Amino acid sequence: MRAAEVVEVEGHIIDSLILAKVLDVIVDAGADYRMVDVQIGRTNVDASRVRLEITAEDEDALGALLAELQIHGANRVADVDAVTETADVDGVLPEGFYSTTNLPTQVRMWGHWVDVDNPEMDCALVVRPDGRVRTVPMHRVRIGDPVVVGRAGVRVQALERPRGANPFEFMNSDVSSEKPKEQLVARVAGRIKAAKATGGKVLAVCGPAVIHTGAGPAVADLVRAGVIDVLFAGNGFATHDIESNVLGTSLGVPLGDGLPPEGGHSNHLRVINEVRRRVSIAGAVADGYITGGVMFECVQHNVPFVLGGSVRDDGPLPDVYTDVVEAADAMRALLPGVAVALMLASTLHAIATGNVLPAGVETYCVDINQAVVTKLADRGSHQALGIVTDVGLFVSTLAHHLLP
Amino acid sequence: MCPPEHFGVLYEINPWMHREVSVDLDRAREQWGGLVATLVEAGASVELMEPQPDLPDLVFTANAGTVNNGRYVPSRFRHPYRQPEVDHDVAWFRANGFEVTPLPEAVAHEGAGDALPFRNVFLSGYRSRSDAAAHGPLSALLGVPVRPIELVDERLYHLDLTFCPLDDRRALVAPKAWDRYGRTVVEALVPEPFVLEDDEVLAFCANSVVVGTTIVMAACPPRVGRQLEAWGFDVAVAGIGEFLKAGGGCRCLTLALDVAIPAAATPPPSWGTAAAR
């Protein structure tokens, strides 16, 4: 059981090498540290102040190390309980609310550190009557909810970066089109297998390009084989998936010969219209209107999906959430148990998903456009690994690795 | 300085002190008087405080506190034996027009015994008698950067047994008494250090009083004397053998009141300012 504590050291700790010594003492003791807060004086007459989170093998090792560090002036930061304030309007947080990250977070209540149940970025922390702490998006807060305010009594853990053996270490964070793809896909397949072996779920977030590039059948195979457990997409992806299976075209272009037929531009509207007539995608499957494809396999194998709507949508399909708040809530409801997320050629749904994913979920963002991958990381999903390649090639190679 | 009327070795709080060793009080008075005379002859003016019964170490005024620019930071003694000295020290400094600014209660620091000015900073010894954590608050109170140095030899329990600043460039140093970080810090700070041999250190050479260009020492081994003369200093030896029985040398018996390092240090910024994240 690893044990952690935050210590603070201040003064002229740079020129006196006290900081260097404190860090050396920690490392020599076989413990690890993370700089939680650093304020270095501008010149050598300005004092500095550093807060370190120290992680040791167990409580005993930590206690011995803390005693040694105290000699050098690094003292434990006095722990205080988090402060809460009661929400006084539905859907409005108290001023000064603590704004969350997607990292594992702990809140100190009644002298104990309590893990936050469901880390999610840009939310508030609400203390439940049973003492548990949950992240709650702004719109879901209710009058009377105790909301954590200020930063006192809240601590965030950086994800441990495994040293050495991590197969992805060689390309940590860097997005590049220059990486060997075949090897990379094999490794993603390995990570998926490892996650599935421990009961983790795989989430696929799909953009319409998955269908346009001809990767639809491979994704459908992955759903049928039970590799993909949850699907997030939009009206476009589902529509083109159904269109390609019912009419053999994607946005009017035949996936077979690629030559646009007369009036093909209205194909997707006709498909949406027919599904609307049958009330839902499941209804259209039951009716025999849809006989294959990703959405068909989802219905057949009870793979839950959320289709998030947009202002630009045609139709939309009857299953599409037209209320964005409801859509995000529906996505959140499907996240427990998800261990791997595949963002496939989707900009907006990938970012939307990134917003609700805890940082602990392994995330692979596949796009032909490097900017999409970078954007996801810029929006706070630092755990996302970018793979710049054609999604059609990626998915078929992945299916090749994962399916018998 | 404080006359040794009540001096003695009544307890043991450093490896030099042995209660079975008796102090010859008459001899101590004589030696102390000789030291005062030597200092005055070198050009110093000496202020006295009242000796107090049951406070044998009050004679070691170096530990009364840290002084800079008319400001006085009282010591916080680690050992309960010496803690009652503080009230008398504070009373003297108040009566003599110093601004008295105390350290936080949680930290120990033994004044000029552990804090010595060099150029524009103070070096401050820690581990045995003073806490490393004291250096931040001390810096804020003195208005001067304070660099803590770890003392690793328990015989050399105060910084003033291991470091003697002579002028802006030179100092007598005992690097073996410091850990490797401390050695690096002093090396970077002092352009011309003179490294004392072990026996020179244990003869309290570093615990000397500098008055202008005169160095008042308990003993002056030939090698040290030659170097000091080569640098243009005059050496005056003041025998203070009775006080060595308590682990104190010339410098321990004095506290410089005219320290004036220009205030420059700023306190550490608090959390939550723009830079903090």
Side-chain angles (χ1 to χ4, degrees):
Chain A
M1 182 58 192
R2 290 182 73 79
E5 191 62 67
V6 176
V7 300
E8 188 170 296
V9 52
E10 66 161 57
H12 293 90
I13 55 177
I14 311 292
D15 295 323
S16 64
L17 302 181
I18 281 287
L19 180 60
K21 177 172 0 185
V22 162
L23 300 183
D24 287 350
V25 167
I26 295 169
V27 173
D28 289 348
D32 207 354
Y33 65 84
R34 185 170 67 85
M35 301 255 182
V36 180
D37 242 326
V38 180
Q39 303 225 336
I40 303 294
R42 275 178 301 108
T43 69
N44 64 1
V45 298
D46 298 330
S48 305
R49 185 196 294 257
V50 171
R51 240 174 223 189
L52 300 167
E53 186 187 73
I54 299 167
T55 317
E57 206 51 59
D58 52 40
E59 288 290 348
D60 287 348
L62 183 66
L65 177 56
L66 288 176
E68 170 71 11
L69 289 178
Q70 202 171 12
I71 291 170
H72 304 296
N75 287 313
R76 198 186 295 229
V77 174
D79 285 335
V80 289
D81 278 359
V83 180
T84 61
E85 214 171 284
T86 309
D88 55 355
V89 182
D90 278 350
V92 179
L93 296 165
E95 215 181 325
F97 66 91
Y98 176 84
S99 169
T100 58
T101 67
N102 58 358
L103 293 163
T105 303
Q106 291 182 313
V107 176
R108 196 169 187 275
M109 303 295 305
W110 307 289
H112 294 281
W113 288 102
V114 179
D115 285 322
V116 171
D117 279 349
N118 54 332
E120 180 182 332
M121 69 168 86
D122 303 333
C123 288
L125 295 170
V126 170
V127 182
R128 298 290 176 190
D130 61 0
R132 305 183 68 134
V133 183
R134 290 187 60 81
T135 58
V136 171
M138 192 180 289
H139 68 269
R140 279 229 207 140
V141 75
R142 291 292 168 264
I143 292 178
D145 280 351
V147 177
V148 174
V149 291
R151 292 178 55 164
V154 180
R155 67 184 185 191
V156 171
Q157 295 167 317
L159 291 180
E160 274 189 49
R161 288 194 185 278
R163 287 179 184 165
N166 181 3
F168 283 99
E169 198 172 41
F170 73 102
M171 55 172 304
N172 251 346
S173 81
D174 274 0
V175 176
S176 170
S177 50
E178 310 294 325
K179 311 270 172 161
K181 297 298 166 337
E182 175 65 33
Q183 239 182 340
L184 216 47
V185 180
R187 287 178 181 182
V188 174
R191 303 297 287 184
I192 289 176
K193 277 183 191 159
K196 302 285 288 186
T198 55
K201 291 183 187 173
V202 174
L203 160 70
V205 183
C206 296
V210 170
I211 306 301
H212 302 329
T213 55
V219 174
D221 289 346
L222 290 171
V223 173
R224 189 183 321 114
V227 174
I228 293 173
D229 303 284
V230 182
L231 176 77
F232 293 168
N235 190 53
F237 170 82
T239 300
H240 298 308
D241 170 60
I242 297 167
E243 176 193 345
S244 67
N245 278 281
V246 174
L247 300 174
T249 60
S250 188
L251 207 58
V253 179
L255 290 170
D257 59 17
L259 297 172
E262 193 79 9
H265 65 277
S266 67
N267 283 6
H268 68 287
L269 293 175
R270 299 183 192 286
V271 167
I272 293 169
N273 192 48
E274 289 310 309
V275 177
R276 287 180 70 92
R277 188 187 308 286
R278 290 160 178 87
V279 183
S280 67
I281 295 173
V285 169
D287 199 34
Y289 178 72
I290 307 173
T291 56
V294 179
M295 300 315 298
F296 172 83
E297 298 297 348
C298 284
V299 171
Q300 292 291 83
H301 295 90
N302 292 318
V303 168
F305 58 85
V306 174
L307 302 179
S310 136
V311 182
R312 312 175 313 278
D313 286 346
D314 291 325
L317 287 167
D319 301 69
V320 169
Y321 284 91
T322 52
D323 180 321
V324 289
V325 171
E326 278 177 28
D329 283 350
M331 289 161 70
R332 286 187 182 99
L334 294 181
L335 289 182
V338 169
V340 177
L342 298 172
M343 315 287 206
L344 304 174
S346 153
T347 312
L348 302 172
H349 291 281
I351 292 169
T353 306
N355 285 351
V356 294
L357 275 185
V361 175
E362 275 181 49
T363 304
Y364 303 103
C365 181
V366 185
D367 207 290
I368 195 75
N369 182 353
Q370 188 157 323
V372 173
V373 178
T374 316
K375 200 178 188 98
L376 193 62
D378 287 349
R379 300 239 178 167
S381 299
H382 299 288
Q383 79 276 21
L385 175 76
I387 301 171
V388 179
T389 188
D390 176 84
V391 72
L393 296 177
F394 175 86
V395 176
S396 19
T397 316
L398 186 68
H400 173 74
H401 280 286
L402 289 170
L403 302 177
Chain B
M1 297 177 72
C2 176
E5 291 312 309
H6 305 286
F7 174 62
V9 180
L10 307 186
Y11 44 77
E12 300 178 5
I13 57 173
N14 70 50
W16 302 86
M17 296 175 111
H18 300 287
R19 276 189 301 171
E20 62 273 17
V21 173
S22 61
V23 168
D24 181 336
L25 197 55
D26 284 338
R27 217 172 134 68
R29 282 197 198 100
E30 199 182 306
Q31 291 177 344
W32 184 85
L35 175 63
V36 174
T38 310
L39 292 170
V40 170
E41 197 180 331
S45 64
V46 177
E47 307 272 344
L48 297 182
M49 69 182 286
E50 277 289 302
Q52 301 292 332
D54 302 322
L55 295 177
D57 282 345
L58 196 61
V59 68
F60 296 119
T61 49
N63 305 126
T66 317
V67 174
N68 192 37
N69 288 323
R71 186 179 273 206
Y72 163 70
V73 180
S75 287
R76 289 204 182 275
F77 286 102
R78 171 101 72 216
H79 293 288
Y81 295 118
R82 297 200 66 180
Q83 287 164 0
E85 292 179 23
V86 176
D87 288 345
H88 301 285
D89 295 329
V90 169
W92 188 92
F93 278 92
R94 274 197 214 290
N96 284 273
F98 283 78
E99 184 190 354
V100 179
T101 51
L103 285 166
E105 274 177 28
V107 294
H109 193 276
E110 299 200 351
D114 262 335
L116 293 171
F118 191 87
R119 296 191 150 191
N120 56 346
V121 305
F122 274 79
L123 294 181
S124 178
Y126 78 88
R127 189 160 191 132
S128 181
R129 296 296 191 84
S130 301
D131 290 332
H135 92 273
L138 186 64
S139 168
L141 295 175
L142 296 176
V144 173
V146 176
R147 297 184 191 168
I149 306 284
E150 185 175 356
L151 303 174
V152 294
D153 184 335
E154 60 168 13
R155 295 170 303 176
L156 306 171
Y157 55 94
H158 274 147
L159 183 70
D160 68 358
L161 303 181
T162 68
F163 181 67
C164 181
L166 300 172
D167 58 22
D168 254 9
R169 298 188 54 80
R170 297 160 179 141
L172 304 178
V173 299
K176 282 187 188 167
W178 310 321
D179 75 337
R180 63 185 176 93
Y181 302 88
R183 278 177 228 151
T184 310
V185 170
V186 178
E187 206 173 287
L189 182 69
V190 181
E192 290 180 69
F194 181 74
V195 178
L196 298 171
E197 304 284 354
D198 289 0
D199 54 342
E200 294 161 352
V201 176
L202 297 179
F204 284 70
C205 278
N207 199 251
S208 300
V209 187
V210 180
V211 184
T213 55
T214 304
I215 317 294
V216 180
M217 311 178 78
C220 186
R223 202 183 70 97
V224 179
R226 280 197 298 276
Q227 179 65 66
L228 291 174
E229 278 172 28
W231 274 341
F233 293 104
D234 299 318
V235 174
V237 173
I240 42 102
E242 291 306 306
F243 299 96
L244 296 180
K245 294 174 179 174
C250 294
R251 190 173 190 115
C252 294
L253 291 163
T254 66
L255 176 62
L257 298 174
D258 58 351
V259 179
I261 306 292
T266 57
S270 58
W271 303 117
T273 53
R277 260 191 67 90

